[in-house]
Amino acid sequence: MKYAAVKKITGILLVSSLLLSGCQFSPSTATRETAADVSHAETPSLPPGEKLKSAFSDARIPDMIGIARNNALQLFLNEETAEIAVIHSESGQIWRSNPADREKDTIAAGINKDLLSSQSRLSFFNSSGQSSMVNSYTDSVRHKQVSYEAMPNGVRVHYQFGSTERSIEDLPVKISKERFEQYVLSKLDKSGERALKVGYAEDKNEGVYNRIDKAMQGLQLTRALKAFEDAGYTEEDLAQDHAEHGIDQERSGPRLFMLTMEYDLDGEQLRVRVPASGIHFPEEYPINTLSVLEYFGAGGSKEDGSILVPDGSGALIHFNNGKLQYPSYQQDIYGPDLTMKLREASTSESKARLPVFGVIRPEGAFLGIVEEGDAVATVNADISGKLNSYNNVYPSFYVVNKSDITLQSSDMVRTLPKFQNKPTSSDFVVRYAFVGAEQSSYSGLASLYREYLLQTQGLPAMKASQEQSTVPFYLKLFGGMTTRQHMLDIPYNSTEALTTFDEGKMILSKLMEKNVSNIQVRYAGWFNDGLHHRLPDSIKVDGVIGGKKEMKEFSAFTSEAGIGFYPDVSILNVQSKKGFSPSSEASRSLTQEPAILYPMDLALGRRAKDLSATYVLSPNEINDVTTDMLKDMEPLQTTGGISLKDMADQLNSDMNPKKLLDRTQALDTVRKAFDQIKEQAGSIVAEGGNAYALAYVTGLTDAPMRSSRFKLEDEEVPFFQLVVHGSISYTGSPYNLSTYTDARQYVLNLIEYGASPYFAWFNAPNDVVKDTDYNNLYAANYEQWIDLAAEIYNEVSQVNATFAGRSMIAHESLSEGVFRTTYEGGGYVIVNYNNHPVELESHTVDARSYVTGGEQL
């Protein structure tokens, strides 16, 4: 695909300054033509399509024809508006792509009114980097630029946005007084003269007429174009006038876009696909984002319901909550791409780990699953009362990203846009699954998603419900750290021990003496100069914490004691330039600079550029680094597995045009690396919990245990936990390094969410990290925490072990501060966060306490 090139700067800006260094659920895996493979030199014309035949009908939607149906669903289409509807047979619910009563909306006006009738929207850039938008109703359906093709289980819809009509660029910017009056005005009638005199102003000093662009809009532009045409003004005349006055106006092509959307019934779900090969755009107008079915299932201003968003553990936005002063919800799936995102994310913002969203009504609900293109997807949601009268949630996708290049010479500064070299190399697929009133809750939707992941091997198979096991105690031990020292005023790096392997054995022995069992140890800072280790393409165990010999002894000790030992490795983030070349091995941003990240200053809430920087490893390097790492780790004879600090937590692209990998391609690379690691290491514990990692891990730390609590949200829910419990053990942030100030609150949260306790320790005194890059480990000395940790573990384990290996089937709020979590088999726990006891059903739940009940196997 060709893109709008950055135009040359003339004058004192040197051209050289532009050069930058430089089955039911089974998704298709077949090789396909992508947008990156398709030439867009000429936008194809709208396919002729065909007249669709109605296979069946339904009196409730008389304006639509039946396209496809099975035992679970019926798909309908309105050929005049291109809108669709799905009837869920079991519940009888009708789910529409566009609100049925949108014409009665008293809030929406202008383009916002049109969007209610749209099925897709494109935002695009011009060559100057300015953003504009077209939508399928205003720019396609309204002009009857839409055609249809029948599919075996659905329909394919082709849209053409815009037209080849002439524009303001067909009118001269400047024309001499003589030519304007003698060769144009003299040939027109009175109405033609009036049209041009409104659109042009005479400059008597220069003897020319100048075009008034502000006046050349809408009907006036149409009249002016017709007037020039009536006067016989040609392309040659336009070129002559521009040449005469030194105007070098580069003509852009027509703003003409093509898009194909496919709707088909796949078992009990509706699958919506936008094939990349069906996206076409002019090189002058690269598409930035594509939004799909913005108002599918939208709830009106008088309806009850909630929107499910994937913020952290999960959150609900209630219909019509009246929070009109707060911004809409918008989060990138899997968090920001560190190669692309320049804005500072809030330190309190949780990432969207799962590519899902939904709408929940009393009579039924749907879950949207972003099946392809999830790596570049954003979930958007808003309430009624702002732009229109509807509550809606939908996905959008990045197609071509943009950044800005700032050029400066003397006192002249100019900013130019830089576009992604190729568009996203993926189809965009969203699967919609439906339930009736019985399952219409976030718990019901979580059950749908869990089943989807199990069927697509996206989640490890659950253990037998009869199997009992203990609850893990997660412990992160910090081995060594590298600090800057001075000798005779000469600076040098020195690696200091925080916890040697012998000290690690001592800490673990003390824990076991306190009846802490099933300990899972992530050992960080054990090789290549400590916590901020070098690239792990070669591995040398740090001698300051015991070296290779003592590491083997530590591994043997943990194996004999039944302790999981997971040496921790960071692959995607490189924190030392030793043995690493940022120019060749780091991801490149759009401005072709190596992608670099600085730690957050928690006090100021911004990046601290006085601390050690981290480079983003190019995804092109991940598989080679992984292969080398696994080869070097093999002789160490660790038996527990491996701990991955960043591979389940972030996903980054590489915008180097010579070896560009967009985020969807980077995801393929990361999956291959996970396959390698899983095959050799066997067991993986990872930080984060992005959906693509769930199939590979046995345990998660720093999993989402809360939402971001955005102002628009109304409830925080454990959707993530409802999906993964019984398949993967998990925990949140280490208690001693978290924002918790109340251990009791922490215990109750672990019990409500079915999670494990987690601490992060070292043996050295706390003050060793003062005034270093590791200030955030200010409270990690184990001695002040070990007794509390044992108490927490023994209490939590006693409750949660009952439900280990079982799926979490329901979570609900019973009253203010009181929640019930129900597991497979019927067992449940009720947690009371209040400072007073509560009476519920047959239970009295003491203040800041809990009770268990139901059938417990």
Side-chain angles (χ1 to χ4, degrees):
M1 179 178 298
K2 299 178 180 178
Y3 292 89
V6 178
K7 293 182 173 61
K8 296 179 181 178
I9 297 180
T10 56
I12 63 173
L13 290 179
L14 298 177
V15 172
S16 60
S17 66
L18 283 170
L19 302 176
L20 299 169
S21 59
C23 83
Q24 181 180 352
F25 287 122
S26 58
S28 171
T29 57
T31 301
R32 60 175 180 267
E33 189 179 37
T34 68
D37 304 318
V38 180
S39 171
H40 290 258
E42 293 184 10
T43 302
S45 59
L46 182 71
E50 59 188 84
K51 182 69 176 177
L52 299 175
K53 296 179 181 179
S54 179
F56 52 92
S57 61
D58 191 291
R60 292 172 293 175
I61 41 177
D63 55 340
M64 294 193 178
I65 61 173
I67 296 296
R69 61 180 169 184
N70 55 31
N71 291 334
L73 302 173
Q74 299 176 60
L75 174 63
F76 294 82
L77 171 77
N78 184 318
E79 290 184 278
E80 293 298 317
T81 64
E83 62 188 300
I84 65 157
V86 176
I87 295 182
H88 182 237
S89 301
E90 182 181 334
S91 65
Q93 286 297 298
I94 301 175
W95 296 95
R96 294 175 173 268
S97 61
N98 305 90
D101 56 352
R102 57 189 180 273
E103 295 302 325
K104 299 177 183 178
D105 191 337
T106 58
I107 298 175
I111 191 62
N112 293 319
K113 188 87 166 185
D114 285 0
L115 285 172
L116 293 175
S117 298
S118 174
Q119 294 84 45
S120 61
R121 177 160 56 110
L122 304 174
S123 69
F124 61 91
F125 298 118
N126 62 19
S127 58
S128 299
Q130 298 166 320
S131 181
S132 298
M133 178 194 75
V134 290
N135 71 79
S136 65
Y137 175 72
T138 308
D139 304 282
S140 181
V141 172
R142 179 181 279 171
H143 300 293
K144 301 189 182 303
Q145 296 174 169
V146 59
S147 65
Y148 306 96
E149 289 181 55
M151 295 169 57
N153 296 302
V155 64
R156 181 178 293 114
V157 185
H158 302 285
Y159 297 98
Q160 176 179 297
F161 302 80
S163 69
T164 56
E165 294 177 356
R166 291 182 302 155
S167 69
I168 194 172
E169 294 179 347
D170 292 288
L171 302 178
V173 175
K174 187 177 290 190
I175 184 171
S176 69
K177 175 180 172 65
E178 180 183 3
R179 280 178 55 78
F180 188 64
E181 293 179 349
Q182 292 185 17
Y183 294 98
V184 179
L185 293 182
S186 65
K187 298 179 180 180
L188 300 175
D189 58 18
K190 296 295 183 182
S191 62
E193 286 185 24
R194 283 196 301 271
L196 294 191
K197 286 183 177 179
V198 169
Y200 282 83
E202 182 182 2
D203 183 334
K204 293 183 179 180
N205 293 328
E206 290 192 20
V208 298
Y209 279 83
N210 292 313
R211 191 178 71 197
I212 308 172
D213 287 1
K214 288 184 178 180
M216 291 293 195
Q217 298 182 24
L219 182 60
Q220 182 56 42
L221 174 60
T222 302
R223 288 171 174 168
L225 287 166
K226 186 177 185 305
F228 271 100
E229 182 182 358
D230 291 344
Y233 193 82
T234 66
E235 289 271 350
E236 290 74 17
D237 290 324
L238 181 66
Q240 178 183 334
D241 287 322
H242 281 173
E244 181 180 337
H245 299 286
I247 296 171
D248 182 18
Q249 179 175 279
E250 185 176 329
R251 297 283 302 280
S252 60
R255 255 180 24 179
L256 199 63
F257 303 87
M258 297 290 298
L259 182 75
T260 297
M261 293 182 69
E262 298 174 354
Y263 305 96
D264 74 293
L265 302 183
D266 186 27
E268 298 180 358
Q269 291 82 40
L270 168 70
R271 184 168 52 193
V272 179
R273 177 186 299 273
V274 179
S277 59
I279 302 174
H280 301 269
F281 52 89
E283 62 177 0
E284 298 92 348
Y285 301 108
I287 295 173
N288 178 220
T289 61
L290 159 67
S291 300
V292 175
L293 297 185
E294 293 188 41
Y295 292 94
F296 186 87
S301 58
K302 296 182 180 180
E303 292 184 74
D304 293 328
S306 298
I307 295 168
L308 170 71
V309 293
D311 177 18
S313 63
L316 298 179
I317 301 170
H318 296 323
F319 285 5
N320 314 309
N321 63 18
K323 299 180 179 181
L324 306 182
Q325 70 273 37
Y326 299 123
S328 60
Y329 169 86
Q330 185 177 79
Q331 270 192 307
D332 293 343
I333 300 297
Y334 308 142
D337 180 342
L338 299 182
T339 305
M340 299 299 309
K341 292 291 184 180
L342 302 179
R343 68 177 180 84
E344 298 291 351
S346 167
T347 55
S348 62
E349 182 174 327
S350 297
K351 292 181 181 177
R353 301 289 186 186
L354 305 178
V356 297
F357 58 93
V359 166
I360 303 167
R361 289 194 175 100
E363 61 275 12
F366 80 77
L367 178 71
I369 304 169
V370 183
E371 193 168 70
E372 294 183 49
D374 47 319
V376 293
T378 300
V379 174
N380 311 267
D382 212 346
I383 58 168
S384 66
K386 294 181 178 179
L387 303 178
N388 54 58
S389 301
Y390 298 94
N391 307 270
N392 67 312
V393 60
Y394 65 95
S396 58
F397 302 90
Y398 292 104
V399 180
V400 174
N401 287 286
K402 178 188 78 78
S403 188
D404 292 317
I405 304 172
T406 300
L407 303 173
Q408 185 169 358
S409 178
S410 299
D411 59 346
M412 188 175 183
V413 178
R414 185 171 179 181
T415 300
L416 299 175
K418 175 68 176 177
F419 300 108
Q420 185 174 320
N421 189 252
K422 294 180 180 179
T424 296
S425 181
S426 174
D427 292 351
F428 305 116
V429 180
V430 185
R431 182 182 292 273
Y432 293 84
F434 307 92
V435 295
E438 189 175 333
Q439 282 187 277
S440 188
S441 65
Y442 57 87
S443 298
L445 296 186
S447 178
L448 271 181
Y449 188 51
R450 182 172 65 246
E451 185 64 24
Y452 167 82
L453 290 176
L454 289 171
Q455 290 194 28
T456 56
Q457 290 77 53
L459 193 66
M462 290 184 287
K463 301 174 183 177
S465 58
Q466 292 80 12
E467 180 183 340
Q468 297 295 311
S469 61
T470 55
V471 171
F473 177 88
Y474 283 99
L475 175 63
K476 187 174 186 178
L477 289 177
F478 300 106
M481 66 175 183
T482 300
T483 59
R484 197 74 164 163
Q485 304 292 336
H486 292 79
M487 178 178 287
L488 301 176
D489 292 330
I490 300 174
Y492 67 96
N493 289 331
S494 173
T495 302
E496 300 180 35
L498 294 172
T499 311
T500 66
F501 288 120
D502 280 345
E503 291 166 346
K505 287 190 284 187
M506 176 265 295
I507 292 172
L508 294 176
S509 296
K510 288 185 177 182
L511 271 175
M512 289 187 291
E513 289 171 5
K514 297 178 182 295
N515 298 317
V516 177
S517 60
N518 197 2
I519 302 170
Q520 306 295 311
V521 179
R522 299 181 60 213
Y523 212 115
W526 58 276
F527 75 104
N528 289 12
D529 301 334
L531 291 173
H532 289 179
H533 63 73
R534 303 192 309 273
L535 191 69
D537 54 352
S538 65
I539 297 225
K540 182 181 179 182
V541 183
D542 292 331
V544 70
I545 63 170
K548 182 176 179 180
K549 179 176 179 294
E550 290 193 15
M551 183 176 183
K552 288 184 177 180
E553 292 176 0
F554 182 83
S555 179
F557 167 81
T558 57
S559 179
E560 185 176 343
I563 295 171
F565 172 37
Y566 299 88
D568 189 62
V569 179
S570 175
I571 297 177
L572 305 186
N573 296 156
V574 185
Q575 299 168 98
S576 170
K577 286 200 291 185
K578 191 174 180 180
F580 173 75
S581 171
S583 63
S584 62
E585 296 177 290
S587 282
R588 294 292 185 94
S589 67
L590 280 171
T591 59
Q592 297 311 297
E593 298 167 319
I596 193 169
L597 189 68
Y598 290 91
M600 290 297 297
D601 185 320
L602 299 180
L604 299 177
R606 66 187 184 205
R607 300 291 176 187
K609 294 194 175 182
D610 58 329
L611 299 180
S612 298
T614 297
Y615 288 92
V616 177
L617 181 70
S618 168
N620 289 286
E621 305 292 330
I622 290 175
N623 285 318
D624 286 345
V625 171
T626 300
T627 299
D628 293 340
M629 175 191 73
L630 293 173
K631 182 179 178 181
D632 275 17
M633 287 188 70
E634 196 168 353
L636 299 177
Q637 300 172 8
T638 57
T639 58
I642 193 169
S643 167
L644 298 175
K645 179 175 174 58
D646 45 28
M647 279 187 62
D649 182 58
Q650 60 181 255
L651 184 63
N652 307 307
S653 61
D654 186 353
M655 290 292 113
N656 187 336
K658 295 180 180 179
K659 50 181 182 179
L660 184 147
L661 285 183
D662 64 51
R663 215 177 182 206
T664 64
Q665 295 168 317
L667 177 53
D668 291 338
T669 302
V670 167
R671 285 196 174 110
K672 290 176 184 175
F674 266 117
D675 281 327
Q676 281 184 276
I677 296 168
K678 181 74 172 178
E679 183 177 354
Q680 180 167 320
S683 185
I684 300 174
V685 169
E687 282 190 17
N690 288 344
Y692 55 80
L694 299 181
Y696 304 95
V697 301
T698 53
L700 288 170
T701 70
D702 303 271
M705 294 288 287
R706 52 160 293 178
S707 71
S708 304
R709 300 181 182 179
F710 294 126
K711 296 291 188 180
L712 192 68
E713 297 171 352
D714 296 292
E715 280 188 60
E716 186 174 78
V717 298
F719 186 88
F720 184 91
Q721 287 71 21
L722 284 157
V723 171
V724 305
H725 193 280
S727 295
I728 302 169
S729 61
Y730 52 84
T731 183
S733 301
Y735 173 72
N736 58 303
L737 299 180
S738 70
T739 56
Y740 276 103
T741 58
D742 183 349
R744 193 63 194 161
Q745 189 89 359
Y746 180 65
V747 167
L748 295 178
N749 187 227
L750 294 180
I751 291 173
E752 181 196 355
Y753 279 28
S756 299
Y758 182 31
F759 284 79
W761 295 337
F762 51 64
N763 181 68
N766 281 327
D767 59 10
V768 300
V769 298
K770 185 179 180 182
D771 299 325
T772 71
D773 285 354
Y774 315 95
N775 272 322
N776 59 312
L777 307 182
Y778 57 88
N781 176 265
Y782 85 95
E783 291 181 290
Q784 69 190 90
W785 299 107
I786 191 167
D787 289 334
L788 176 63
E791 291 175 14
I792 290 174
Y793 175 77
N794 289 321
E795 181 176 6
V796 171
S797 179
Q798 187 176 7
V799 179
N800 288 359
T802 307
F803 310 114
R806 294 198 237 171
S807 60
M808 186 185 291
I809 61 173
H811 178 273
E812 56 191 322
S813 173
L814 300 179
S815 64
E816 183 68 30
V818 183
F819 302 91
R820 175 166 57 199
T821 306
T822 305
Y823 294 87
E824 175 191 8
Y828 62 82
V829 60
I830 299 174
V831 177
N832 176 21
Y833 286 91
N834 296 299
N835 291 319
H836 56 80
V838 295
E839 298 285 340
L840 285 168
E841 300 169 353
S842 59
H843 299 288
T844 298
V845 190
D846 292 337
R848 292 162 63 82
S849 188
Y850 49 85
V851 297
T852 59
E855 181 184 351
Q856 298 178 29
L857 303 177

